């Protein structure tokens, strides 16, 4: 079979990420109102369940570089998509909140495996000059998965089990595509070498990754409120219909396609400005959602801004980390993406508690303020044009 072209790698990678991130992880909030009604889930319990895929992601992404070395790119890609299918089908069949939690936990594992293995695949098949663009495009595949949820909700507004069954079928197709097209490893890598990094990492590189990871914790915390409670906010506080939230998730997906330009944004404006723009846009989206929660047009605008801000930021962390640790493409994004999920693990139950205690409006405004604070902090921490991996054009 012919090797993948950069375009083919971008298409395949985007598809796998659309399944593991978009459908298996971030669509949960869209169906949460219907799940809460059927399974009698309280806001606090919903926040805890919403944190589980982020929690399992933390452990999976830590193991992902080792798994990729042990199984190879192709088998790890198949495992990521396959686990997404298992988790999605478990959710579809869940008779209780316990099994629902199990399903979302499995989905988080698939997500944690997918980003490092796709970064490794890009390193294998894409020329160096195109890797930043291809990695950002693959990362934006999350938006495609989120956008797919829109027709699912319109067709199965209250029948969330049917939607998740369909998502599981798409995951099976993704696993098959990974099996057929991801690069095969020419030789097995010996497990006798415990090191995940083939080359030494300098102190400046570790500091660069540390800055990204600290900021990613804050970003993840801010984003958790939107992912889990945005549909609930416009339905409960604004009186919108569940079918209308499908259009919101379509707007999130379409807006998120802007994240494909994260690599070019860094090259043109530098890390500090790129990061500040992404977080400011995200914070505006949170505040806009609850200004008039019953206004459908504002809800759509908020969703598009959130998608653009979030996907630009995750693309930023992915591309920037690989720029810093060029020779470790599977390991470089682990800590920043891990940190994002640590923030989401903390932010999801915190948002659930605040929604129950103070309501949606106060919760989203507080999280928006936190986002602006993280944006300001990032402008200071990342304002180093001499940092490793970045040169002004």
């Amino acid at each position: 079979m012919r090797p993948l072209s950069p375009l083919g790698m971008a298409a395949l990678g985007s598809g796998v990420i659309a399944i593991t991130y978009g459908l298996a992880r971030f669509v949960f909030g869209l169906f949460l109102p219907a799940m809460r009604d059927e399974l009698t889930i309280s806001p606090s319990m919903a926040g805890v369940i919403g944190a589980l895929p982020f929690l399992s992601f933390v452990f999976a992404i830590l193991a992902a570089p080792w798994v990729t070395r042990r199984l190879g790119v192709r088998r790890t890609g198949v495992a990521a998509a396959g686990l997404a299918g298992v988790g999605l089908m478990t959710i579809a069949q869940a008779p209780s909140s316990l099994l629902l939690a199990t399903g979302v936990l499995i989905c988080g594992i698939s997500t944690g495996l997918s980003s490092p293995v796709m970064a490794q695949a890009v390193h294998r098949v894409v020329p160096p000059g195109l890797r930043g663009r291809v990695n950002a495009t693959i990362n934006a595949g999350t938006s495609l998965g989120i956008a797919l949820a829109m027709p699912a909700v319109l067709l199965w507004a209250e029948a969330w089990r049917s939607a998740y069954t369909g998502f599981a079928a798409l995951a099976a197709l993704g696993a098959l595509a990974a099996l057929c097209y991801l690069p095969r490893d020419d030789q097995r890598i010996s497990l006798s070498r415990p090191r995940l990094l083939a080359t030494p990492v300098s102190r400046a590189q570790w500091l660069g990754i540390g800055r990204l990871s600290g900021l990613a914790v804050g970003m993840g915390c801010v984003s958790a409120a939107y992912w889990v409670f945005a549909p609930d906010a416009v339905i409960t506080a604004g009186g919108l219909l569940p079918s209308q939230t499908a259009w919101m998730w379509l707007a999130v997906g379409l807006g998120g396609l802007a994240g494909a330009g994260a690599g070019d944004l860094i090259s043109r404006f530098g890390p500090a400005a790129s990061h500040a723009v992404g977080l400011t846009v995200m914070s505006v989206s949170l505040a806009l959602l609850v200004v008039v929660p019953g206004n459908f047009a504002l809800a759509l605008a908020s969703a598009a801004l959130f998608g653009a801000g979030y996907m630009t930021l995750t693309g930023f962390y992915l591309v920037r980390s690989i720029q810093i640790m060029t020779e470790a493409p599977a390991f470089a994004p682990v800590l920043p993406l891990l940190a994002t999920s640590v923030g989401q693990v903390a932010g999801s139950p915190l948002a659930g508690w605040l929604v129950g205690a103070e309501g949606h409006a106060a919760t989203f405004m507080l999280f928006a303020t936190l986002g602006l604070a993280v944006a300001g902090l990032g402008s200071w921490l990342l304002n180093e044009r001499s940092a490793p991996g970045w040169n002004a054009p």
Side-chain angles (χ1 to χ4, degrees):
M1 188 173 293
R2 294 177 58 187
L4 281 172
S5 66
L7 180 60
M9 185 65 240
L12 176 59
S14 296
V16 172
I17 294 298
I19 292 165
T20 59
Y21 275 81
L23 298 180
R25 183 174 175 187
F26 290 128
V27 166
F28 175 76
L30 184 59
F31 292 91
L32 179 59
M35 293 175 179
R36 284 182 59 188
D37 289 343
E38 182 174 337
L39 300 178
T40 317
I41 301 173
S42 68
S44 296
M45 178 59 70
V48 171
I49 294 175
L52 290 177
F54 305 134
L55 182 63
S56 58
F57 174 91
V58 167
F59 293 99
I61 199 169
L62 284 173
W66 181 87
V67 173
T68 302
R69 290 184 66 243
R70 173 67 180 90
L71 299 181
V73 169
R74 178 175 293 182
R75 292 187 183 91
T76 305
V78 172
L83 283 170
V86 171
L88 290 164
M89 184 56 72
T90 301
I91 294 172
Q93 301 298 321
S96 65
S97 59
L98 179 60
L99 203 56
L100 179 71
T102 302
V104 299
L105 197 71
I106 296 171
C107 285
I109 296 173
S110 77
T111 311
L113 292 177
S114 60
S115 282
V117 72
M118 289 301 110
Q120 184 68 40
V122 169
H123 187 76
R124 287 272 302 275
V125 304
V126 177
L130 294 175
R131 286 173 187 165
R133 185 169 294 172
V134 172
N135 273 316
T137 301
I138 289 174
N139 182 71
T142 302
S143 298
L144 298 177
I146 294 169
L148 282 174
M150 182 266 190
V153 172
L154 291 181
L155 289 173
W156 302 297
E158 300 297 330
W160 55 273
R161 296 182 187 277
S162 298
Y164 270 84
T165 300
F167 296 160
L170 289 176
L173 292 177
L176 180 61
L179 178 64
C180 293
Y181 295 109
L182 279 179
R184 184 190 299 275
D185 290 279
D186 295 329
Q187 58 184 2
R188 299 292 294 274
I189 299 175
S190 172
L191 293 179
S192 61
R193 293 193 308 167
R195 294 175 58 190
L196 293 175
L197 299 174
T199 58
V201 178
S202 70
R203 180 175 180 272
Q205 289 174 312
W206 281 121
L207 287 174
I209 294 293
R211 291 188 188 99
L212 288 183
S213 301
L215 294 169
V217 170
M219 188 281 282
C221 183
V222 172
S223 69
Y226 207 102
W227 284 124
V228 179
F229 288 103
D232 200 42
V234 296
I235 291 173
T236 304
L240 296 184
L241 299 175
S243 59
Q244 290 177 296
T245 63
W247 293 96
M248 281 181 60
W249 246 232
L250 177 64
V252 169
L254 295 178
L257 295 176
D264 294 326
L265 193 66
I266 296 171
S267 297
R268 183 171 180 81
F269 299 107
S274 303
H275 187 263
V277 167
L279 262 165
T280 300
V281 169
M282 182 190 294
S283 297
V284 170
S285 74
L286 267 74
L288 190 62
L289 186 72
V290 293
V291 170
V292 185
N295 188 310
F296 185 45
L298 284 180
L300 290 179
S302 166
L305 288 173
F306 178 79
Y310 184 85
M311 293 311 304
T312 295
L313 287 165
T314 55
F316 171 87
Y317 296 132
L318 175 67
V319 173
R320 181 67 187 131
S321 64
I322 295 173
Q323 287 176 345
I324 294 172
M325 290 186 178
T326 308
E327 298 306 316
F331 177 79
V334 166
L335 293 181
L337 294 179
L338 169 64
T340 301
S341 276
V342 169
Q344 289 167 331
V345 168
S348 182
L350 175 61
W353 176 75
L354 285 171
V355 166
E358 303 294 337
H360 291 88
T363 299
F364 275 66
M365 286 298 185
L366 284 171
F367 274 72
T369 303
L370 176 61
L372 293 176
V374 177
L377 179 62
S379 296
W380 174 58
L381 289 177
L382 299 174
N383 192 21
E384 297 184 50
R385 298 200 170 196
S386 61
W390 181 74
N391 295 304

